[in-house]
Structures are given as C-alpha cells and as structure tokens.
Amino acid sequence: MIKAEQKPVDEILGFLDAYKRILLVGCNGCAAVCHAGGEREVAILAATLRMARKKLGQKLEILEETSPRQCEPEFVDALAGKTEDVEAILSIACGVGVQALAERFSEIPVYPGVNTMFMGKTVEPGVWVERCQACGNCVLHLTGGICPVTRCAKQLLNGPCGGSRDGVCEIDGETPCAWQAIYDRLKATGQLDRLELFVPAKRWGRESRDRGPRTIVRGDLKQ
Amino acid sequence: MGSFVPRIVAFCCDRSGYRAADMAGGLGISVPETIEVVRVPCAGRVDALHILRALESGADGVLIVACHRGNCRSLTGDLAVRARTEHVHEIMERIGLKRERLELCNLSVQDGPKFAETVRRKFEYLKELGPNPTR
C-alpha cells in the first residue's frame, strides 16, 4: 500500500497561520494502515494543532472527518456538506487524496498534512519499506519476485553493477544488493535460466510520466 | 501564581498504579485533591490521543503509572507506553509545551506511599511551572 508520514507540526501550523476554521480530513485507506492519516491520527493532529494555537492565544476551530477513501469521487463528494464556512482544508491522506479534494473543492485552499513516501510493505509494526515504484511494466516474473527497479540503487534490469560486494550494495555497506538477492532466489527455486533472458530498457515514455499522468481505462467498467 | 492549583490526570495500570493509589487512600496518605485517576487495564493501553485529550481538556500535568519494567502481565505494556510517552514528548516540544508536564513512572502494588509522594512531587513541580498554556 501507499506509505506516508506526517509532516512536522510546525510546517503544518505554518500552512494554517491565516485561518480560524478548517476541515481536517483523514483517509481510512492506505494512510490509516501506515498510521499517518486515519481517524486516530486526525484526532491526534487536531488536538495538537488546537493546543499549539491556543498557546499563541489564537483560536483554531477544526472540523474532523475521515473519509473511507479520499481517492474515490463518491467519498469525496460526501464531504461537500462539511465545508460550510471552512477557510481551508488540511488533508492527511496521500497525495492522491489531497489532489482529489483540491479538484472537488476548487474554491477552498487544500493543504497536505503528510508526506507521501512510497508503495511498500510492513516489515514489523512501525517499520515500512519500499517495494514498488509503479514502473508500469512488471518484471517480477523474471527476477524471482524481487524488484530491481525498486531495490537496486541504479535500477539495473540485467544483473548487478561493479559495486556489489559480498551481497551488499556499495551505497552504504548495509543495503542488500538486489541482484545478489535475485540470483540467490532464482537459484533456490531452480530458475537460474531466467537470468539469460534479456530485459529491454524500459519504455519510460509509455511506462512512466514523460507523457503526463498515466491513465487506465477499463471499457467494461466505464460508464 | 499563588492561587494556581494544578490539575493532574493519572492514568494508572489496574495491576500496579491503581492498586498503589488505592493503597495510599487506604493508608490515609493525603494526595492533592485535584488529581483525577483514570483506571486502565494496562498502561500499554494509554494512547497518545488519551494524553493529548487530557492536556487539551485542562490538565496541567499527566502521570502514567505503569508496572516496573519486565513486570507487565501483558508482557510488553510497559515498553509500549514508554515509546508512546516519548512520542508525545516530541509532540509537546513541537508545540512549545514542557515535556516534564507528562511523566511516566513505574510502581508496584505495594507502592502506596510512593504513589502519594510521586503525585505530591508532580503537584509541586506544576505549581512552580504554572498553568498549562494550551488549555
């Protein structure tokens, strides 16, 4: 899922300097799972911001809402009744949610309360690691289920560079070399022959953002 | 500042802090009347939001009374609340609240006198420090 972390409180307070009544919106999707922007985090951030402003002798009224998913139009529409007399919206969903609110409520300034970091998995409670860069043309079937785009510092597609030493990447002496991991995994699963398949350079124009935001259209679902 | 009477919220573990508070009462040891004891099944149940809500609702200080380290019947409650306390300390510093307003202490069932002493010490400290500026 998408992983995010809260921005520093002073940065958020800076966004809100001019406002006395705001809507703080969390998201019960990815942002809640990584404890950055769910209902609980909305309550904690609201209490923090209110106290910070009270200390300065300034009132800040915060309406607290948590959307089931801020990236879905119907859930964003459901917030329409909550924006009356609201001077600004603070979203602690991922960047997608922030933009969805900005598009829907074009007359109200929308601010991000979290930094969206990456798509990743949970290592242990409180620890998340990046595992996918959404490159648009998955090669995991060739690489033993280990993503070289995400886990190789150079995003190499056909084997390690000269900086791989004893299974460790040259970047910091601690990060495992993705290609060593791929080799070990393919060997363990009897699939070393896959290393002989050439993976062509990515067509970044199609598989990345060179041509603007990528779009998926499913004709069978589109109304 | 002379008329200022600090208000303290004490989250007390049912298996240690709460029983120590009960013992203090049973022994007739006086504690400041403005303490509000909140009984929790384990100190590990105390969330950042509970602490912030207490402060926002007007508490001048918050005490969390947990079991001694390694003595938690829920195994890791004392460790969980320690990490959570540190997290709230960071939040408090960010918004200019003195971190000492929030304190985690470890007591056992028979620490009635020590509970009272801890509360009195906190009370005097907060009296000196002044009211919670965010309430």
Side-chain angles (χ1 to χ4, degrees):
Chain A
M1 296 178 101
I2 294 172
K3 304 300 173 192
E5 62 181 3
Q6 191 187 296
K7 281 180 173 288
V9 171
D10 26 11
E11 185 181 348
I12 298 173
L13 283 166
F15 297 157
L16 307 177
D17 261 352
Y19 307 118
K20 291 182 178 155
R21 179 180 160 91
I22 67 159
L23 173 64
L24 170 56
V25 191
C27 176
N28 261 337
C30 307
V33 174
C34 63
H35 300 269
E39 192 170 0
R40 178 175 163 274
E41 288 74 33
V42 165
I44 289 174
L45 182 57
T48 304
L49 295 174
R50 275 193 300 264
M51 284 198 288
R53 286 287 285 265
K54 268 189 205 167
K55 187 167 184 293
L56 299 172
Q58 301 163 352
K59 194 181 167 199
L60 180 62
E61 190 181 347
I62 303 178
L63 309 180
E64 300 173 34
E65 290 292 331
T66 305
S67 171
R69 288 191 299 278
Q70 258 185 59
C71 53
E72 301 283 352
E74 61 266 42
F75 295 129
V76 175
D77 280 343
L79 295 168
K82 317 282 184 183
T83 57
E84 194 178 342
D85 297 330
V86 159
E87 297 169 290
I89 299 174
L90 176 65
S91 166
I92 54 172
C94 71
V96 180
V98 177
Q99 293 181 70
L101 295 188
E103 286 170 27
R104 174 62 179 80
F105 303 109
S106 55
E107 305 298 313
I108 306 172
V110 179
Y111 297 95
V114 303
N115 291 322
T116 306
M117 302 299 291
F118 49 76
M119 279 180 285
K121 69 158 196 169
T122 303
V123 178
E124 59 180 285
V127 180
W128 299 276
V129 64
E130 184 173 17
R131 281 293 179 261
C132 179
Q133 290 201 358
C135 70
N137 189 9
C138 193
V139 295
L140 287 170
H141 58 298
L142 298 174
T143 57
I146 294 166
C147 177
V149 178
T150 307
R151 294 173 64 174
C152 169
K154 295 176 181 172
Q155 302 185 324
L156 297 179
L157 293 172
N158 289 285
C161 68
S164 178
R165 292 279 185 279
D166 300 323
V168 177
C169 176
E170 65 184 338
I171 56 167
D172 59 8
E174 289 180 9
T175 302
C177 168
W179 274 101
Q180 181 70 53
I182 290 168
Y183 175 83
D184 292 342
R185 169 87 177 146
L186 290 176
K187 188 175 180 185
T189 54
Q191 295 177 307
L192 274 178
D193 57 309
R194 307 232 165 157
L195 289 177
E196 293 172 16
L197 295 170
F198 173 66
V199 181
K202 285 199 161 288
R203 297 169 295 165
W204 291 112
R206 172 182 151 81
E207 294 161 2
S208 188
R209 288 155 294 279
D210 299 26
R211 294 183 185 174
R214 293 170 288 174
T215 305
I216 298 171
V217 179
R218 275 275 303 267
D220 57 326
L221 300 174
K222 193 169 178 296
Q223 293 175 347
Chain B
M1 207 66 78
S3 61
F4 167 57
V5 181
R7 286 191 278 174
I8 300 173
V9 170
F11 294 101
C12 295
C13 168
D14 186 45
R15 291 178 175 132
S16 56
Y18 186 79
R19 289 167 198 238
D22 200 34
M23 183 188 190
L27 291 172
I29 307 171
S30 69
V31 292
E33 288 177 5
T34 50
I35 183 171
E36 185 179 340
V37 172
V38 180
R39 186 180 189 175
V40 290
C42 170
R45 178 66 188 88
V46 179
D47 190 79
L49 185 57
H50 298 140
I51 301 167
L52 292 171
R53 282 261 196 270
L55 290 168
E56 193 183 11
S57 304
D60 299 294
V62 173
L63 276 174
I64 303 171
V65 190
C67 299
H68 284 289
R69 292 186 83 171
N71 210 25
C72 175
R73 288 266 295 275
S74 309
L75 301 180
T76 57
D78 57 325
L79 297 174
V81 76
R82 185 166 296 276
R84 225 160 280 155
T85 302
E86 283 172 18
H87 177 56
V88 178
H89 276 152
E90 286 169 18
I91 293 175
M92 291 170 74
E93 285 183 342
R94 286 270 186 187
I95 61 173
L97 261 185
K98 272 193 93 73
R99 60 188 286 143
E100 287 80 6
R101 287 186 186 275
L102 166 65
E103 182 180 340
L104 170 65
C105 52
N106 303 94
L107 296 179
S108 66
V109 174
Q110 67 269 34
D111 277 338
K114 204 168 176 183
F115 175 84
E117 180 193 321
T118 303
V119 174
R120 280 199 299 270
R121 175 178 51 73
K122 195 76 193 166
F123 186 84
E124 291 307 320
Y125 171 79
L126 292 168
K127 206 168 176 183
E128 187 74 24
L129 186 62
N132 171 3
T134 66
R135 71 181 191 188

